[in-house]
């Protein structure tokens, strides 16, 4: 039994949640509302599912009152967390500009939340900030506020606000070093156009810088692709992308030209399968034709891994040494070798050593 069939009621309802004019699915009568809440928790999309529950007509199946009470409690917590994250994003961008004179943009997270029907329904995470500062300048500024901030391959961690922060030298990266070289070239070329685009936050919370939609589209695809191979990916990132594409005019071919140049075409076609065949996105919003075979593989990973792979029962990385984590990650990725050989065979097993060397060089040169 495939993943769509075995999870039909859940996926039908998720599709209903994203379309305000959709009819209530017949399979709603089969929903276990407690199990749906658990699914929403694993996928970090409880706010999206509650949005669907709230628009159910009175004649449709509903959660019981005790169940609905638990859903509403989750909704209040999600809104409270969003307000805090919006405020922290404003504080961070203002402080960074005042102390360095550099501009910044918020990637993913709260920038994505603004595209949802309700800017408080997305489950918030950390704040990803990309800036006009140099890599060394960015690390030194981070360590002046948080000396213990971890220097990672493409960002440095900052823990000075209620919301965790990642300050990015580059927005994303590839497992294959040749295509990462291409990606870095593309980021450098497009970077000057990404700063100065402001978005107003709800309820007078302030404003933040955001990416231009076409750039954001390629970036978020690369981010999803990275997590697909690295630790796992869930529906929250896919729904982020759903709302991004829904708000954009049809691609004139420039986005897919870049996607092909970066060797992300197969992965993009898999994402399009889930967006169209599972979530009901109209074809005119798709970047390319869906690939059913790879799309079903992608869907299986979405359902099995949950948000960032935190709920994946198949692989347990916590508590393992770096070497054992490396071996387990390599073994996990071998399951995708047929579809993605450049990442799995010729990429990530080798690039991990480069990542470690580069992080060591950054730590030594800045420290």
């Amino acid at each position: 039994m495939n993943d769509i069939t075995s999870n039909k009621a859940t996926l039908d309802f998720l599709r209903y949640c994203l379309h305000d004019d959709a009819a209530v699915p017949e399979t709603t009568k089969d929903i276990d509302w407690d199990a749906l809440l658990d699914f929403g928790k694993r996928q970090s999309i409880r706010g999206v599912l509650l949005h669907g529950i709230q628009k159910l007509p009175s004649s449709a199946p509903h959660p019981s009152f005790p169940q609905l009470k638990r859903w509403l409690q989750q909704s209040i917590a999600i809104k409270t967390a969003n307000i805090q994250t919006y405020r922290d994003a404003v504080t961070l961008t203002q402080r960074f500009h005042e102390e360095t004179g550099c501009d910044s943009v918020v990637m993913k997270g709260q920038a994505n939340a603004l595209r949802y029907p309700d800017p408080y329904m997305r489950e918030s995470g950390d704040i990803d900030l990309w800036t006009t500062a140099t890599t060394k300048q960015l690390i030194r500024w981070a360590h002046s506020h948080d000396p213990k901030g971890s220097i990672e391959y493409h960002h440095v961690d900052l823990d000075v606000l209620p919301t965790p922060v990642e300050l990015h030298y580059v927005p994303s990266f590839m497992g294959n070093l040749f295509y990462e070289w291409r990606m870095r070239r593309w980021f450098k070329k497009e970077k000057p156009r990404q700063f100065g685009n402001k978005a107003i936050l709800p309820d007078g919370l302030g404003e933040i810088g955001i990416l231009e939609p076409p750039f954001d589209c390629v970036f978020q695809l690369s981010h999803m692709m990275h997590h697909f191979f690295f630790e796992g990916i869930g529906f929250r990132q896919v729904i982020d992308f759903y709302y991004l594409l829904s708000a954009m005019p049809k691609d004139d071919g420039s986005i897919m030209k870049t996607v092909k140049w970066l060797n992300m075409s197969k992965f993009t076609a898999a994402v399009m399968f889930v967006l169209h065949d599972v979530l009901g996105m109209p074809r005119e919003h798709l970047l390319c034709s869906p690939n059913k075979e790879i799309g079903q593989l992608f869907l299986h990973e979405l359902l099995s891994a949950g948000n960032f792979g935190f709920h994946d029962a198949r692989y347990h990385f916590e508590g393992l040494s770096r070497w054992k984590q490396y071996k387990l990650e390599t073994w996990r990725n071998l399951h995708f070798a047929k579809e993605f050989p450049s990442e799995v065979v010729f990429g990530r097993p080798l690039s991990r050593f480069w990542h470690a060397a580069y992080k060591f060089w950054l730590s030594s040169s800045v420290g």
Side-chain angles (χ1 to χ4, degrees), residues 70-249:
R70 288 195 290 274
W71 278 96
L72 293 175
Q73 288 171 339
Q74 298 292 329
S75 177
I76 294 170
I78 291 168
K79 181 174 182 178
T80 301
N82 266 296
I83 292 172
Q84 183 65 62
T85 308
Y86 280 131
R87 286 175 173 162
D88 287 345
V90 172
T91 298
L92 177 66
T93 54
Q94 289 178 343
R95 184 183 301 175
F96 185 79
H97 181 70
E98 290 169 0
E99 296 181 8
T100 68
C102 296
D103 289 331
S104 62
V105 290
V106 173
M107 305 185 299
K108 306 186 281 107
Q110 298 315 111
N112 280 331
L114 295 173
R115 300 188 183 99
Y116 281 58
D118 178 345
Y120 298 117
M121 68 188 259
R122 181 187 186 273
E123 294 198 33
S124 57
D126 56 14
I127 299 171
D128 294 86
L129 205 71
W130 189 32
T131 79
T132 57
T134 66
T135 298
K136 291 183 179 181
Q137 183 182 9
L138 192 63
I139 294 174
R140 289 188 178 115
W141 184 83
H143 280 182
S144 71
H145 293 276
D146 179 13
K148 295 182 179 179
S150 176
I151 297 176
E152 301 299 332
Y153 180 63
H154 73 312
H155 72 265
V156 58
D157 293 325
L158 183 67
D159 186 15
V160 295
L161 295 167
T163 308
V165 173
E166 293 182 359
L167 300 171
H168 286 253
Y169 336 128
V170 290
S172 185
F173 62 94
M174 303 286 286
N176 184 290
L177 293 177
F178 172 73
Y179 291 109
E180 183 183 346
W181 171 74
R182 282 190 170 185
M183 178 172 282
R184 288 198 178 222
R185 283 177 59 194
W186 186 75
F187 284 153
K188 185 177 181 179
K189 178 173 72 73
E190 297 293 324
K191 188 172 184 177
R193 289 195 286 270
Q194 304 312 312
F195 298 88
N197 310 304
K198 302 297 181 182
I200 305 300
L201 303 183
D203 299 319
L205 291 171
E207 67 175 25
I208 56 174
I210 60 171
L211 298 168
E212 288 188 338
F215 180 97
D216 201 5
C217 190
V218 176
F219 156 64
Q220 292 201 43
L221 279 170
S222 72
H223 177 73
M224 285 191 288
M225 185 169 169
H226 164 63
H227 281 290
F228 174 77
F229 291 110
F230 174 52
E231 53 191 2
I233 181 174
F235 269 100
R236 182 178 65 171
Q237 291 156 298
V238 176
I239 293 172
D240 285 349
F241 200 65
Y242 174 93
Y243 283 121
L244 171 59
L245 283 188
S246 296
M248 288 175 53

Side-chain angles (χ1 to χ4, degrees), residues 8 13 20 22 45 88 100 133 145 252 298 352 359:
K8 183 170 176 53
F13 190 75
D20 287 340
I45 57 168
D88 287 345
T100 68
H145 293 276
D252 60 3
F298 181 56
R352 282 297 180 193
K359 286 194 293 183

Side-chain angles (χ1 to χ4, degrees), residues 44-62:
S44 290
I45 57 168
R46 286 167 290 185
V48 175
L49 295 173
L50 181 60
H51 178 72
I53 291 173
Q54 290 172 326
K55 70 187 185 79
L56 284 170
S58 58
S59 58
H62 278 73

